Amino acid sequence: MPAPAVRLSTAEARRSIVIDSAIQVFSLTGYLGTPIAAIAEHAHISPAYVSKLFPNKEALFVAALDECFERAGAALSRGAETSVDRSPDGILSAMGGAYADLIADRSLLMLQVHAQSAATVPEIGAALRRGIEAITTMVRSSSGATDEAVQRFVAYGQLCHLIVTTGLDEVPAEWARLLTAGIRHP
Amino acid sequence: MPAPAVRLSTAEARRSIVIDSAIQVFSLTGYLGTPIAAIAEHAHISPAYVSKLFPNKEALFVAALDECFERAGAALSRGAETSVDRSPDGILSAMGGAYADLIADRSLLMLQVHAQSAATVPEIGAALRRGIEAITTMVRSSSGATDEAVQRFVAYGQLCHLIVTTGLDEVPAEWARLLTAGIRHP
DNA sequence: GAGGTGGGTGACTGATCACTCACTGACTGC
DNA sequence: GCAGTCAGTGAGTGATCAGTCACCCACCTC
């Protein structure tokens, strides 16, 4: 195989490329369902080098999950800042819109679902709690909404996860429309 | 190994025993994370016989998931029937209580989360949609509540899933209490 | 241009697991 | 009491996969 004489990058740059690939591939096939080789292929490097960049598969998944929450938090924060309506409900609504835009490609959201399923792996469960904590406290402080409103915001976010994982937005039946009504999704 | 001279059962009876075991074991370790052998051990039969009773692992998981929705539907239905307050909100509340009792052991709920993660397997996705359809239509017709109220009921149910999968009910921090406030869980 | 550093890989290994198959032994109808 | 049926199993098999190790070569420094 003739190596295409690609310039070598730094390990740090490779790491973030691999994390990007990990988000995309893990989100499609889940933690146990994706071989390291699939992520390596997506990142155009060898599986051996992925194993060199991350101590094990678990650490790679956690890194991807952390990055996923990082991006979600940034999007929500941006939504809150650019909201025209400065009332708590207005800000919450703007955050919801920003979140909807962010998860248009569904991978951030799917990764969270897969993380829930793999939460019995201690490190993954801990990363998940970290991420939810960051989102929750951020939503509360940025919006100034009541605890009940923040809880509702998160609850409808979870409903959104259900809709996307089951593809309910493409089911034309009445019961499906009942569940998807008013939920912003791509 | 001296066979303990156990009376043979019918394949039909074995099947439902295995489905019981499958619910319990799959709910702990997920679809890809549980070997058939673990379910067989729980059911006190050989892995080979599990493979004889079900065409493949996927079919076994789907059978467990169907049973899980069956039980959830029955519990909700019972809750609706025995509600003292006959207003839609009262019935919804009674259903919520019945559901909370049912999922005290968490396996039905966890299985649903694992199913969401494995929903890209066509048969599993289909079973999940079937189950959600049954629950949704049942909740709507039994309670007589508005579409918005039913949607809210499902959304907070999903929040409950998040709480249980991440063990948020045992996190003493303020952000965690914000999310768990008022949610009935065991 | 010699030598060192570090990005990157091929080839392997040991373990796990879904599924199969040939078989045993318990029950049943005659 | 014999023949057929069906519950149930042990011992495989082939495939997949996480992680390792010895190694190669691009680039930098002096």
Side-chain angles (χ1 to χ4, degrees):
Chain A
M1 222 172 293
V6 180
R7 257 200 108 57
L8 292 185
S9 63
T10 67
E12 218 29 63
R14 272 292 180 219
R15 269 183 66 95
S16 67
I17 291 174
V18 171
I19 289 174
D20 273 359
S21 292
I23 289 175
Q24 298 206 45
V25 184
F26 273 136
S27 75
L28 287 176
T29 41
Y31 176 55
L32 291 172
T34 49
I36 289 180
I39 295 164
E41 191 179 355
H42 189 277
H44 303 293
I45 60 174
S46 71
Y49 193 40
V50 174
S51 288
K52 211 170 217 175
L53 290 172
F54 297 87
N56 49 44
K57 192 179 171 181
E58 186 185 323
L60 174 56
F61 187 83
V62 167
L65 190 59
D66 282 344
E67 173 64 23
C68 157
F69 277 115
E70 196 85 21
R71 290 186 198 171
L76 289 172
S77 176
R78 230 176 303 120
E81 279 164 20
T82 60
S83 172
V84 188
D85 179 348
R86 301 306 299 170
S87 72
D89 276 359
I91 295 176
L92 274 189
S93 174
M95 289 175 119
Y99 190 64
D101 289 345
L102 177 77
I103 62 175
D105 75 346
R106 309 194 168 190
S107 50
L108 298 195
L109 179 155
M110 288 302 300
L111 195 66
Q112 231 174 294
V113 173
H114 291 307
Q116 277 189 55
S117 171
T120 44
V121 177
E123 274 301 315
I124 295 179
L128 196 48
R129 280 186 290 277
R130 265 202 313 277
I132 294 168
E133 172 178 7
I135 297 284
T136 306
T137 58
M138 210 273 286
V139 168
R140 188 159 86 132
S141 67
S142 297
S143 70
T146 63
D147 285 4
E148 289 75 32
V150 174
Q151 187 187 43
R152 177 160 33 86
F153 184 82
V154 174
Y156 278 83
Q158 294 300 305
L159 175 60
C160 184
H161 291 196
L162 178 71
I163 290 167
V164 171
T165 51
T166 56
L168 238 53
D169 48 342
E170 283 168 14
V171 174
E174 200 191 342
W175 63 272
R177 286 211 312 279
L178 182 161
L179 291 177
T180 57
I183 303 286
R184 263 174 300 206
H185 46 71
Chain B
M1 221 172 294
V6 179
R7 255 199 111 55
L8 293 184
S9 63
T10 67
E12 218 28 64
R14 272 292 180 218
R15 269 183 66 96
S16 67
I17 291 175
V18 171
I19 289 175
D20 273 359
S21 292
I23 290 176
Q24 298 207 45
V25 183
F26 272 137
S27 75
L28 287 176
T29 41
Y31 175 55
L32 291 173
T34 48
I36 289 180
I39 295 164
E41 192 179 354
H42 189 278
H44 304 293
I45 60 174
S46 72
Y49 193 40
V50 173
S51 288
K52 210 168 217 178
L53 289 173
F54 296 87
N56 49 43
K57 193 180 171 181
E58 187 185 323
L60 174 55
F61 187 84
V62 167
L65 190 59
D66 281 344
E67 173 65 23
C68 158
F69 277 116
E70 196 85 20
R71 290 187 199 171
L76 289 172
S77 176
R78 231 175 303 120
E81 279 165 20
T82 60
S83 172
V84 187
D85 179 349
R86 301 305 300 171
S87 73
D89 276 359
I91 294 175
L92 274 188
S93 173
M95 288 175 119
Y99 190 64
D101 290 346
L102 177 77
I103 62 175
D105 74 346
R106 307 192 168 193
S107 51
L108 297 196
L109 179 153
M110 290 301 302
L111 195 66
Q112 232 174 293
V113 173
H114 292 307
Q116 277 189 57
S117 171
T120 43
V121 177
E123 273 301 315
I124 294 178
L128 196 48
R129 279 186 291 276
R130 264 203 312 275
I132 294 168
E133 172 177 7
I135 297 284
T136 306
T137 56
M138 211 272 288
V139 168
R140 188 159 86 132
S141 67
S142 298
S143 70
T146 63
D147 285 3
E148 290 75 32
V150 173
Q151 187 187 42
R152 177 161 32 85
F153 184 81
V154 174
Y156 278 83
Q158 294 300 305
L159 175 60
C160 184
H161 290 196
L162 178 71
I163 291 168
V164 170
T165 51
T166 55
L168 239 53
D169 49 342
E170 282 166 15
V171 174
E174 200 193 342
W175 63 271
R177 284 210 313 278
L178 182 160
L179 290 178
T180 57
I183 303 286
R184 262 174 299 206
H185 44 71

